[in-house]
Amino acid sequence: MAEIQQQADSGGKGGKKRAKKMSTKIDMTPMVDLAFLLLTFFMLTTTFNKPNVMQVTMPVKPKKDDPPSEIKSSNAMTVILGETNKVYYYEGLLADDVKPELKVTNYGATGIRKVLLDRMRANPQTVVLIKPARKSVYKNMVDILDEMNITNQKKYALVDISPADTVLITKSGL
């Protein structure tokens, strides 16, 4: 609230009238109350970012007597997550006598996504083996799992990288 304070007229000297000096005083308390009320209202009614959760289907735990599942080499595709956002891939499985052709791409729509879609069209039974290298980053893992969901890849597995894969990358010079 505002109030105006008037100074008392001294009235001692002569007949000359002077203009009365008035000072105003504004009470800021109601405005501060309103500001805090609005601040509290917006803090309580605001919805914050909801966490993004990715659905990951975990395999059923095998029983003791079940033999380990084998993947046909013709259905396998190996994706290796390298350093500096590189994605290496080859078709088939790596063996002592078989050295597949290693190719490199990126995480873009024209990169690994196109490769996965082409592979799915050619062979719908494809199983993708994802092998993160020691120097790959967590973002690369999230990106490749996103690509698996985008391309609707049903069968994929996260596998430790083997020393033979590391040697294949270093010898390829890519």
Side-chain angles (χ1 to χ4, degrees):
M1 304 245 194
E3 71 182 55
I4 300 173
Q5 296 178 343
Q6 296 180 353
Q7 290 182 344
D9 189 22
S10 60
K13 296 184 179 177
K16 201 173 192 183
K17 280 195 161 184
R18 294 187 176 185
K20 294 183 179 177
K21 292 184 180 178
M22 294 186 220
S23 67
T24 58
K25 178 183 174 190
I26 299 175
D27 188 12
M28 300 293 284
T29 307
M31 191 174 82
V32 172
D33 287 346
L34 181 66
F36 277 104
L37 184 69
L38 288 174
L39 183 66
T40 305
F41 172 76
F42 287 119
M43 285 175 58
L44 294 176
T45 58
T46 301
T47 56
F48 296 102
N49 284 343
K50 294 179 181 174
N52 296 331
V53 178
M54 180 184 302
Q55 295 289 331
V56 177
T57 305
M58 300 300 289
V60 178
K61 189 174 183 178
K63 296 176 184 173
K64 286 184 177 180
D65 298 334
D66 288 346
S69 59
E70 295 287 330
I71 300 172
K72 285 184 178 178
S73 180
S74 61
N75 292 341
M77 179 176 175
T78 304
V79 175
I80 302 172
L81 310 179
E83 59 183 314
T84 63
N85 295 328
K86 288 183 179 177
V87 181
Y88 302 97
Y89 67 95
Y90 58 85
E91 297 181 3
L93 295 172
L94 187 62
D96 293 337
D97 57 338
V98 178
K99 298 293 180 200
E101 180 186 357
L102 187 67
K103 298 174 185 171
V104 67
T105 186
N106 59 22
Y107 291 96
T110 58
I112 192 66
R113 185 179 306 167
K114 185 175 183 301
V115 171
L116 289 170
L117 289 173
D118 290 345
R119 176 70 184 190
M120 286 289 294
R121 272 188 230 113
N123 184 1
Q125 302 292 325
T126 300
V127 177
V128 178
L129 302 173
I130 302 169
K131 298 180 176 181
R134 296 255 181 232
K135 292 184 179 178
S136 64
V137 293
Y138 180 73
K139 181 185 177 303
N140 294 344
M141 177 65 75
V142 172
D143 288 345
I144 198 69
L145 291 177
D146 282 343
E147 294 299 326
M148 294 295 139
N149 283 334
I150 290 169
T151 59
N152 201 18
Q153 178 66 40
K154 298 289 184 198
K155 293 182 178 179
Y156 58 92
L158 300 174
V159 183
D160 290 334
I161 191 167
S162 66
D165 288 322
T166 306
V167 170
L168 185 66
I169 291 172
T170 54
K171 283 189 177 181
S172 69
L174 296 175

